[in-house]
Amino acid sequence: MTTAAAPVRAKRVLPGFTLSLGTTLLYLTVIILIPVLALVLKGAEIGPARFWAIVSSPRAVAAFQVTLIAAAIATAFNAIYGLLMAWVLVRYEFFGKRVLDALMDVPFALPTAVAGLSLTALFSANGWIGAWLEPQGISIVYTIWGIALAMAFTSVPFVVRTVQPVLEDLDPGYEQAARTLGASELAIFTRVVFPQILPAWLAGCTIAFARSLGEFGAIVFIAGNLPFKTEIAALLAFIRLEEFDYNGAAAIALVLLFFALVLLLVSNRLQAWAARHRGV
Amino acid sequence: MQAVGVMAPGQSAWVPRLLIGVAVGLTLLIVVAPLVYIFARAFGEGWQVYAANLMHPATRNAIWLTTITALIVVPVNIAFGIAAAWAVARFRFPGRGLLVTAIEIPFSISPIIAGICYLLLYGRQGLLGPWLQANDLQVMFALPGIVLVTMFVTAPFVAREVLPLMQAQGSEQETAAVTLGASGWQIFTRVTLPNIRWALLYGAVLCTARAVGEFGGVSVVSGNIRGQTNTLPLHVELLFNDLNATGAFAAASVLTLLALVALVVKAVLEGRRAA
């Protein structure tokens, strides 16, 4: 805060610069950078021709397709559900609101394997919800819908928690002005409120999408893991490892890593845009 | 200011009611039902079966391995989180923004990719593989690998909670302490630590929950040796694949309880911070 405008000399008044920065860089290098570098080096070692052959093999393409489609379904659902939750939690007062708010952290806190186990049992033919859906001809478990369900569960807090603070900080003046001018509630939402939360909402959806692409623990339980049908990319990489096909695993992992880093950049841009929007 | 939208004249009451109803309904279906179902199934065959499932040597071993992992990872992560927050929030240096992004990287990388990275580094065919074998060091398919990959996955948790708080608080108090002749350690223990203690505790709780529940990364590096390198989440999968659903739910219930404790601590701390 104050350091921004302070002269260069003043910034080193506090002790521990070398120690804290040194520790941080050392830890990041050993724990994050070197392992990621090992993956990139492995990818370089494979060579472009073989890399392309691995990544464009029918089974890999099918796995990427399943992953992308399921993540898109999950994100589309969370875009609506997450926005609804953020809106309800910020704008209305009702009994049990604090519990509902706390429940939005459950997917963060609950281990993904536990979520996967429970969702699978719950939506299978003899589970509470599956027993009711299966007779209507709706199968969730061992289909792409199950994968999307697991992804939606694990990534919904990202949308809620990104939109919620922005919605809380909105200046009520614009809405009041619109209301005074006779705008309907729907018009106020679509023309006044929504444009203001749009950057944060998009950022939240991007993070949720990225998280869905990388999700593994919850999905292996519910997907059934049939090659070409319900096999996700992360699982295919895992299977390649178990077959000691390290090149195959590394190539698929690199594609997922590339997606993750691009989405991280996009969400950072969106969040910077959202921050400018809020005038922070 | 929140009441503005609600109390506005001319707004019919059914819109808020409908929206709240849909939100609560969906949350019951997607979040609450899975949570309740875990306990319903874990206790479905009675208390005795539940206790027997938890007392099974393989399950006890998995609980123990998970506990040890968390006991190593969380303190290291706290130290890293404080160091990172101190460096970023208290000093200006080139590449500072890049450093913040680097800390956040594990959030966007799938744990399974992290596991593959570690295998390619420390595995038998990995970059350091030959050297490790020559020195008879076992990292993969053993505790060190599990700990390392868990450190990767949980690296941002403490820093992310402490950093924004330290940035918001500014450095006036610490600078004043320096002026008054306090040593670095005194400043840290008497000024900084009391200011950040709740954020630190919250970050540590989140980090613990994540460390205990890590699945994808650990499943790559653990080798899944029953009774040896099987952490609790991996054990849940193993029991599920063994078609021992009740046993899987019993093991899962332990993890769920930990997650619920983390959430309660979070709610309490948030109330305290708001106060």
Side-chain angles (χ1 to χ4, degrees):
Chain A
M1 292 170 85
T2 47
T3 38
V8 181
R9 247 159 44 91
K11 70 182 175 183
R12 297 286 152 80
V13 168
L14 293 172
F17 177 68
T18 316
L19 178 69
S20 63
L21 187 62
T23 310
T24 308
L25 290 178
L26 181 71
Y27 192 78
L28 284 179
T29 307
V30 172
I31 296 295
I32 298 173
L33 291 183
I34 293 179
V36 172
L37 203 64
L39 174 62
V40 175
L41 284 177
K42 184 74 186 174
E45 188 192 302
I46 297 170
R50 274 184 71 200
F51 187 92
W52 181 248
I54 294 167
V55 173
S56 63
S57 74
R59 190 168 166 187
V61 170
F64 286 125
Q65 265 174 0
V66 168
T67 313
L68 285 170
I69 293 171
I73 297 171
T75 308
F77 174 78
N78 278 343
I80 309 286
Y81 174 48
L83 180 63
L84 173 70
M85 287 303 299
W87 176 264
V88 163
L89 289 173
V90 172
R91 289 303 173 104
Y92 304 135
E93 291 301 328
F94 55 94
F95 177 75
K97 178 175 152 168
R98 284 202 59 190
V99 176
L100 194 65
D101 192 31
L103 282 171
M104 276 300 106
D105 284 324
V106 168
F108 271 152
L110 198 68
T112 54
V114 174
L117 171 75
S118 191
L119 285 171
T120 308
L122 199 56
F123 282 86
S124 67
N126 49 10
W128 287 349
I129 299 175
W132 178 73
L133 287 177
E134 291 278 341
Q136 336 238 349
I138 305 172
S139 299
I140 302 286
V141 170
Y142 307 142
T143 69
I144 197 163
W145 297 103
I147 300 174
L149 174 71
M151 287 174 171
F153 177 89
T154 48
S155 64
V156 68
F158 291 98
V159 181
V160 182
R161 297 304 186 214
T162 318
V163 174
Q164 211 175 355
V166 180
L167 210 47
E168 270 166 6
D169 286 352
L170 281 192
D171 182 353
Y174 297 109
E175 281 171 68
Q176 280 165 341
R179 201 165 282 125
T180 319
L181 294 170
S184 71
E185 288 303 316
L186 188 66
I188 292 173
F189 180 78
T190 52
R191 302 228 188 131
V192 179
V193 177
F194 190 68
Q196 296 188 77
I197 58 173
L198 180 66
W201 181 64
L202 287 176
C205 290
T206 309
I207 304 169
F209 186 69
R211 175 67 211 260
S212 298
L213 287 184
E215 182 49 40
F216 178 75
I219 297 171
V220 286
F221 286 87
I222 205 164
N225 309 323
L226 268 174
F228 297 102
K229 288 209 171 105
T230 57
E231 185 179 63
I232 55 162
L235 180 77
L236 182 58
F238 187 78
I239 290 171
R240 291 289 179 249
L241 277 185
E242 291 196 316
E243 295 165 351
F244 298 104
D245 176 9
Y246 284 19
N247 286 343
I252 296 164
L254 271 170
V255 173
L256 286 174
L257 181 70
F258 175 74
F259 276 124
L261 292 180
V262 168
L263 289 171
L264 177 70
L265 275 178
V266 172
S267 83
N268 274 358
R269 282 285 159 84
L270 286 169
Q271 272 168 332
W273 179 30
R276 275 203 308 278
H277 229 75
R278 292 165 72 185
V280 176
Chain B
M1 79 189 217
Q2 274 153 271
V4 172
V6 190
M7 306 309 287
Q11 191 187 19
S12 47
W14 67 268
V15 174
R17 274 191 206 147
L18 177 75
L19 292 180
I20 294 170
V22 174
V24 170
L26 279 173
T27 308
L28 282 176
L29 193 69
I30 295 171
V31 181
V32 178
L35 209 55
V36 175
Y37 198 61
I38 294 162
F39 293 101
R41 289 292 297 270
F43 292 106
E45 293 173 30
W47 279 94
Q48 279 91 358
V49 177
Y50 180 75
N53 273 324
L54 286 192
M55 295 310 281
H56 191 277
T59 304
R60 269 180 16 211
N61 200 289
I63 293 176
W64 179 235
L65 182 62
T66 295
T67 311
I68 299 222
T69 306
L71 282 177
I72 300 172
V73 169
V74 176
V76 172
N77 231 313
I78 290 174
F80 165 70
I82 292 172
W86 182 263
V88 173
R90 292 294 175 258
F91 303 103
R92 303 257 143 188
F93 50 89
R96 196 162 143 273
L98 202 64
L99 186 65
V100 176
T101 308
I103 296 171
E104 297 266 324
I105 282 179
F107 269 140
S108 35
I109 293 186
S110 165
I112 199 115
I113 298 178
I116 292 172
C117 290
Y118 274 88
L119 197 64
L120 292 173
L121 184 60
Y122 294 103
R124 197 160 285 190
Q125 299 180 33
L127 293 178
L128 299 177
W131 184 83
L132 288 170
Q133 266 184 302
N135 289 283
D136 206 21
L137 293 170
Q138 177 88 13
V139 175
M140 282 302 107
F141 313 129
L143 183 65
I146 296 172
V147 167
L148 283 171
V149 102
T150 309
M151 281 179 177
F152 179 104
V153 172
T154 57
F157 277 79
V158 176
R160 195 183 56 147
E161 295 305 322
V162 176
L163 177 57
L165 183 67
M166 280 182 69
Q167 277 175 327
Q169 282 173 347
S171 57
E172 285 88 355
Q173 291 188 19
E174 281 128 359
T175 314
V178 171
T179 320
L180 294 171
S183 73
W185 180 247
Q186 281 174 324
I187 295 170
F188 177 67
T189 52
R190 304 224 186 135
V191 181
T192 310
L193 205 53
N195 277 339
I196 61 167
R197 63 185 190 274
W198 300 123
L200 190 62
L201 184 59
Y202 177 40
V205 167
L206 286 182
C207 177
T208 310
R210 190 71 182 80
V212 165
E214 172 46 29
F215 179 84
V218 171
S219 70
V220 173
V221 302
S222 89
N224 243 323
I225 307 165
R226 214 178 273 242
Q228 277 183 44
T229 60
N230 216 11
T231 62
L232 197 49
L234 295 181
H235 194 59
V236 169
E237 191 201 17
L238 211 134
L239 291 170
F240 178 76
N241 289 340
D242 283 354
L243 301 179
N244 179 0
T246 311
F249 275 104
S253 74
V254 177
L255 291 165
T256 310
L257 268 182
L258 277 171
L260 290 177
V261 168
L263 289 181
V264 169
V265 170
K266 182 193 175 216
V268 171
L269 289 180
E270 272 183 352
R272 202 178 283 265
R273 245 193 287 179

